[in-house]
Amino acid sequence: MLQNAVDQISEIINLFPIVYKIAIHEKEKITIYYDEKGMHNEKTFNNAIDLLDWCERNFKKKSAV
């Protein structure tokens, strides 16, 4: 179960280069840290599904090579 979470987080970081760090805390909170327009930002989510959905709506995905 933990490995699945680590794999999902790694995928998110790889898909969205703007995200430079993800932290899991308070049992079920996930916070992403990202750089946008030269500013450091963060946003917290209750689960990986909400996190991925928000990233897909707000960030550009890395181009396939």
Side-chain angles (χ1 to χ4, degrees), residues 11-12 15-16 18-19 32 45 48-62:
E11 282 182 41
I12 291 168
L15 280 175
F16 304 100
I18 195 170
V19 177
I32 62 167
F45 301 89
I49 294 168
D50 291 344
L51 164 62
L52 183 57
D53 183 52
W54 187 87
C55 286
E56 287 177 337
R57 286 184 284 123
N58 291 282
F59 299 147
K60 290 183 181 180
K61 284 186 180 178
K62 184 169 145 181

Side-chain angles (χ1 to χ4, degrees), residues 17-20 33-42 59:
I18 195 170
V19 177
Y20 65 87
Y33 299 87
Y34 58 98
D35 285 323
E36 188 172 48
K37 299 178 183 171
M39 297 186 66
H40 296 294
N41 299 288
E42 64 182 70
F59 299 147

